[in-house]
Amino acid sequence: MTETVSITCIRCPIGCDIELEVEDGEILSLEGADCIQGEEYAREEFRNPTRVLPTTVRVTGGVLPYVPVKTAEPIPKGKLEAAVEELATVEVEAPVELGDVIVENICDTGVAIVATRDLPAAEEGPVAAD
Amino acid sequence: MTESRQAVTSDVDAMRREEHDLVVVGGGPAGLGAAQAAYDEGVDDIVILERDFELGGILQQCVHPGFGLEYFEEELTGPEYAQEFIENVAERGVDIRLDTMVLEVTHDRTVYAVNDEDGVTEIDAEKVILAMGCRERTRDALDIPGSRPAGIFTAGTAQRLINMEGKLPGEKAVILGSGDVGLIMARHMHLEGAEVEAVLEIMPYTGGITRNVVQCLEDFDIPLRTQQTITEIHGNDRVEGVTVQEVDDDFEPIPGTEYEIECDTVLLSVGLIPENELSVDAGVELHSVTGGPIVDETRETNVEDIYACGNVLHVHDVVDWVTEESMIAGRSAARSLQDRVETRKEPIEIESTAKLRYVVPDRISTIDPDREEIPLYMRVHAPMEDVFVTLSSGGEELTRTFERRAEPGEMVTLNVDSDTLAELPEPRLELDVVQREEA
Ligand SMILES: Cc1cc2nc3c(=O)[nH]c(=O)nc-3n(C[C@H](O)[C@H](O)[C@H](O)COP(=O)(O)OP(=O)(O)OC[C@H]3O[C@@H](n4cnc5c(N)ncnc54)[C@H](O)[C@@H]3O)c2cc1C
Ligand code: SF4
């Protein structure tokens, strides 16, 4: 049975609405993209949609109680929630440097979680994460 | 502010006094870019005054990617983008004062700043660059009736709570306003475990970019409801729900369309206002549309030697343009300090038709031999497709740029060649937007 899937291209601000006709997971036709990049995007987005996940993890002894992190590469969209859950259990110690690997392999994706800023240690009493 | 001023005058003898070539008020991306550019142009006596405990401004709480695509040609998160510029000013030995609040800037460029260590410092500055950023509109600016329970936050406050303090503002949220901050917060709230019931938008279209609509709402099946608004907030101690109503084309609620949504949190993402209390006190004239100072192409305000850039000047959606603009301000202030620019006998006024909401700058008032082109930043009133933005003078078209899609949420830039300006039919430039067919 053929079905129609619509995907909005986000490769550029124009945001073309692309319609895919698919059958059994195969793309039969593709319409609405203004350029070749959009067609590529729609194919990828249909087969394996991925996203960079930005979030935060707990820090002890830092000038702030949380440090921002992201996945070093995009991960499958379906794993975003699981990744956030796994990161909720992680705690690192200040100082943290931009680019530090916080988790090596998040949710078995093979992708690392890295810090996205320097977070110095607090000079006086540490700020508690609650 | 009256209280602090009294402190200034009564304590006048004990006050620290300093002189500097350039004082930058605010250490967000605008202040950092301005300081860096001024230094690179040859000015080394620069002070940045920042009230927060660290540099970086609002970027430190914007942990999502989407920054730097223009400037670094690489997609960075807010903190990563900020850190580049923080390192740049540190390397240049710029004098950075944190936890330091600027209380007043006078029209003759005396800056009063206070911190715990030094008390009040009076700084005589040759040039001042204002880079205080913007603040969010709150419920008071909206006038939503109903009780005043806890659980109503601006989207930016919620962003700071989650990303810097690790606190989730609530469990079931309705977001009012679909600009980028509202959209980003919908995703954040969802991923952190809250339910986002809906994002409501009073306009017929979202104020955010497509990418955020896709990746923040559609990815998680969060509904975006346009031409709807909150007409009442319920709850005594804590928000318990909201009444939502459809609106007509004049934004008037349509009777009979009311429905209720149960929620414990309302996030407001209903606009940003440039933070200009200091500017006004200095005698700086503000633009009726942008809410920021009226400036020339160097970003100098009507008060001589006081410049403005970044969100304090006009609200930017993309930080890369903040950097570009602040570098113009920093470079221009430096060149002016070094007497490298000439003032035009008569400034070139920049005007626009009703299709454009605003244009920055307002006029071109200097001649700078080192400058090849001048970027004009503008926003359209309503979404338009397949248009040309044209620049003319005395009825003669000088240049144009094509926009496949122009949205109020995305700034349009048109660059004018310095050479073009040398031989204008009249000291006036006119911007217009025309459909491709007509053009
Ligand atoms: C909530 C929110 C979310 C945003 N999200 C995005 C986004 O996702 N992507 C994007 O590209 N842009 C985003 N923006 C726009 C963003 O603000 C700009 O791109 C950029 O950060 C503006 O830089 P700025 O330096 O002008 O202002 P800011 O970053 O706001 O910096 C202003 C600085 O001035 C300081 N200051 C103010 N008054 C004083 C004073 N009296 N004395 C001393 N210091 C003072 C402040 O503490 C602050 O550090 C967002 C804006 C807001 C408000
Ligand atoms: S298809 Fe091409 S033109 Fe359309 S949004 Fe994607 S990249 Fe832009």
Side-chain angles (χ1 to χ4, degrees):
Chain A
M1 202 192 83
T2 57
E3 45 177 340
T4 321
V5 178
S6 23
I7 288 175
T8 312
C9 178
I10 57 152
R11 284 273 165 92
C12 90
I14 294 170
C16 296
D17 289 315
I18 305 171
E19 302 253 297
L20 299 106
E21 234 187 297
V22 296
E23 191 175 306
D24 299 331
E26 291 293 317
I27 302 169
L28 300 180
S29 70
L30 192 154
E31 223 172 287
D34 264 17
C35 75
I36 191 94
Q37 275 219 34
E39 296 188 3
E40 243 173 63
Y41 172 81
R43 285 206 178 85
E44 254 178 62
E45 183 67 13
F46 177 70
R47 290 204 198 100
N48 178 28
T50 60
R51 302 284 184 265
V52 168
L53 170 71
T55 181
T56 54
V57 299
R58 244 168 239 263
V59 182
T60 50
V63 292
L64 288 167
Y66 281 80
V67 64
V69 299
K70 68 175 184 187
T71 52
E73 302 286 331
I75 61 169
K77 187 174 121 182
K79 296 214 168 172
L80 292 175
E81 274 109 338
V84 171
E85 257 171 57
E86 185 176 326
L87 286 170
T89 63
V90 173
E91 189 169 284
V92 293
E93 214 171 296
V96 179
E97 270 181 40
L98 191 150
D100 278 0
V101 174
I102 307 291
V103 174
E104 259 171 45
N105 176 7
I106 187 79
C107 293
D108 285 325
T109 55
V111 174
I113 296 286
V114 294
T116 56
R117 64 166 283 175
D118 287 356
L119 196 88
E123 276 168 24
E124 309 106 81
V127 186
D130 53 16
Chain B
M1 205 106 300
T2 27
E3 246 174 287
S4 37
R5 270 203 213 133
Q6 268 166 9
V8 169
T9 37
S10 61
D11 221 15
V12 92
D13 294 328
M15 209 184 332
R16 234 173 108 115
R17 286 205 177 75
E18 300 177 11
E19 283 174 22
H20 295 288
D21 285 348
L22 173 60
V23 170
V24 179
V25 186
L32 294 170
Q36 178 179 332
Y39 183 94
D40 290 347
E41 204 63 36
V43 174
D44 58 10
D45 178 18
I46 305 172
V47 184
I48 299 179
L49 305 171
E50 168 56 55
R51 66 180 171 197
D52 209 341
F53 81 99
E54 62 178 358
L55 295 172
I58 211 89
L59 290 180
Q60 298 289 19
Q61 70 183 58
C62 302
V63 306
H64 55 278
F67 301 80
L69 282 168
E70 297 287 336
Y71 192 79
F72 294 108
E73 290 178 19
E74 185 188 346
E75 191 166 14
L76 304 174
T77 64
E80 287 172 316
Y81 190 97
Q83 190 158 329
E84 283 275 345
F85 288 93
I86 295 172
E87 284 169 8
N88 290 346
V89 295
E91 276 164 21
R92 284 164 176 77
V94 171
D95 182 348
I96 294 157
R97 309 212 185 146
L98 301 175
D99 294 309
T100 304
M101 172 89 177
V102 174
L103 305 171
E104 189 184 357
V105 177
T106 69
H107 69 279
D108 53 0
R109 300 171 323 280
T110 305
V111 179
Y112 293 96
V114 65
N115 62 28
D116 284 350
E117 217 167 291
D118 305 322
V120 176
T121 304
E122 180 189 287
I123 307 176
D124 264 333
E126 292 288 326
K127 300 274 182 190
V128 174
I129 297 182
L130 303 173
M132 289 91 73
C134 59
R135 65 185 142 78
E136 291 174 284
R137 287 180 65 191
T138 58
R139 182 182 177 186
D140 292 332
L142 283 178
D143 204 25
I144 306 171
S147 48
R148 314 224 135 223
I152 307 169
F153 302 88
T154 63
T157 306
Q159 191 178 42
R160 198 177 168 94
L161 278 173
I162 298 178
N163 292 338
M164 299 185 76
E165 295 169 36
K167 297 184 181 121
L168 193 62
E171 262 140 41
K172 222 174 194 199
V174 169
I175 299 179
L176 182 62
S178 68
D180 288 313
V181 188
L183 299 179
I184 297 275
M185 286 315 296
R187 172 174 62 187
H188 260 359
M189 293 286 288
H190 172 86
L191 284 175
E192 297 301 323
E195 269 173 69
V196 180
E197 297 292 309
V199 175
L200 307 172
E201 171 59 59
I202 198 163
M203 302 294 285
Y205 43 82
T206 150
I209 59 175
T210 314
R211 173 200 158 103
N212 284 339
V213 175
V214 172
Q215 297 199 343
C216 299
L217 302 186
E218 291 172 10
D219 271 6
F220 309 108
D221 296 322
I222 298 170
L224 169 65
R225 303 197 184 133
T226 54
Q227 291 201 290
Q228 297 193 8
T229 192
I230 294 177
T231 47
E232 203 172 336
I233 298 178
H234 312 284
N236 296 318
D237 299 331
R238 177 81 196 191
V239 173
E240 285 163 16
V242 293
T243 304
V244 178
Q245 230 170 319
E246 289 174 22
V247 298
D248 61 22
D249 291 340
D250 300 316
F251 311 116
E252 289 302 324
I254 303 170
T257 61
E258 299 87 342
Y259 67 99
E260 313 260 309
I261 304 179
E262 206 184 290
C263 60
D264 63 7
T265 304
V266 176
L267 297 191
L268 302 173
S269 174
V270 289
L272 304 170
I273 312 168
E275 182 116 69
N276 275 293
E277 285 72 12
L278 288 176
S279 327
V280 171
D281 284 350
V284 169
E285 216 182 301
L286 301 187
H287 192 287
S288 61
V289 176
T290 61
I294 299 173
V295 293
D296 72 2
E297 85 288 8
T298 69
R299 303 301 186 267
E300 189 173 23
T301 67
N302 62 303
V303 181
E304 218 183 322
D305 300 319
I306 298 187
Y307 298 70
C309 57
N311 278 357
V312 78
L313 182 54
H314 57 128
V315 174
H316 293 67
D317 41 308
V318 177
V319 69
D320 303 63
W321 304 124
V322 170
T323 298
E324 181 179 86
E325 175 170 85
S326 62
M327 291 192 156
I328 293 174
R331 202 155 45 221
S332 303
R335 286 189 194 171
S336 162
L337 266 173
Q338 300 158 338
D339 289 326
R340 283 163 67 191
V341 284
E342 191 186 321
T343 307
R344 282 178 185 275
K345 284 186 205 78
E346 193 178 4
I348 302 167
E349 301 294 336
I350 303 172
E351 279 156 31
S352 61
T353 59
K355 287 182 192 135
L356 290 166
R357 209 159 80 78
Y358 73 79
V359 184
V360 172
D362 179 70
R363 61 188 186 282
I364 296 174
S365 58
T366 70
I367 299 171
D368 181 341
D370 294 332
R371 186 174 59 198
E372 275 163 26
E373 53 182 21
I374 297 174
L376 307 179
Y377 298 149
M378 66 206 86
R379 278 181 200 278
V380 294
H381 257 293
M384 287 189 277
E385 285 191 8
D386 292 322
V387 290
F388 286 103
V389 177
T390 63
L391 182 76
S392 332
S393 181
E396 188 186 309
E397 190 176 307
L398 306 169
T399 181
R400 58 167 56 190
T401 174
F402 179 66
E403 295 291 325
R404 170 74 174 76
R405 193 178 280 192
E407 313 253 358
E410 290 183 41
M411 209 160 67
V412 177
T413 311
L414 178 72
N415 290 315
V416 202
D417 244 35
S418 294
D419 295 342
T420 315
L421 298 176
E423 45 213 75
L424 291 180
E426 57 176 22
R428 245 165 61 93
L429 291 172
E430 248 176 63
L431 284 159
D432 197 3
V433 187
V434 288
Q435 277 298 325
R436 178 148 66 174
E437 300 86 73
E438 305 167 25

